[in-house]
Structure formats: structure tokens, C-alpha cells
Amino acid sequence: MGRVKVTETLRRAIEQAGVSLYKIAKLTGIEQSTLSRFVRGERGLDGNSIDKLAEYFGLELKPSKTDIKRRK
């Protein structure tokens, strides 16, 4: 199974949320225009915005077992 980038996971979460970008912007404090450009792939997000979106969607990063074994 291929790895999915954090940004792609966030894009999918936004697109599948069933709520408007306006509402996500209001609830996260991220500018709606920033979210719109991010969803269209025109720009990335800073770490703070990634954290806010991850919290909003209940997402967290976890290392895969494969990654842990490689580091040993």
C-alpha cells in the first residue's frame, strides 16, 4: 500500500466534510481563501494551519510499524 501525504489526507477530509469552506474557516481561524487555494492545490499550508485542521477533523499522525523498524 502506498503512503498518503498529510496534505492529501487533509484535502480529502475537507472535500468530504460535507460543510462549506466558510464554516471550516470560521471554526479553525484559517482564512477561507487560504483553504480554497489549498484544496485546489495552488498552495501549501503552514504548520499552524495543518495543526488546526488536524484537530478540527480529529486526525493525528502515527509512525507506521515499518518506519519504526527501519530506524532501529
Side-chain angles (χ1 to χ4, degrees), residues 10-70:
L10 289 172
R11 279 190 186 98
R12 285 183 194 163
I14 292 167
E15 291 169 349
Q16 296 173 2
V19 297
S20 68
L21 290 180
Y22 174 80
K23 183 172 183 176
I24 295 171
K26 282 294 194 186
L27 294 172
T28 62
I30 302 168
E31 294 287 331
Q32 182 179 352
S33 60
T34 299
L35 290 173
S36 181
R37 289 191 304 263
F38 171 69
V39 169
R40 291 192 311 258
E42 296 174 2
R43 68 163 292 166
L45 295 172
D46 62 31
N48 189 43
S49 296
I50 290 171
D51 287 344
K52 288 177 180 180
L53 286 172
E55 183 176 347
Y56 175 78
F57 288 111
L59 302 172
E60 61 182 61
L61 293 176
K62 293 183 181 179
S64 69
K65 292 178 184 177
T66 304
D67 287 340
I68 294 170
K69 289 178 184 177
R70 284 187 201 152

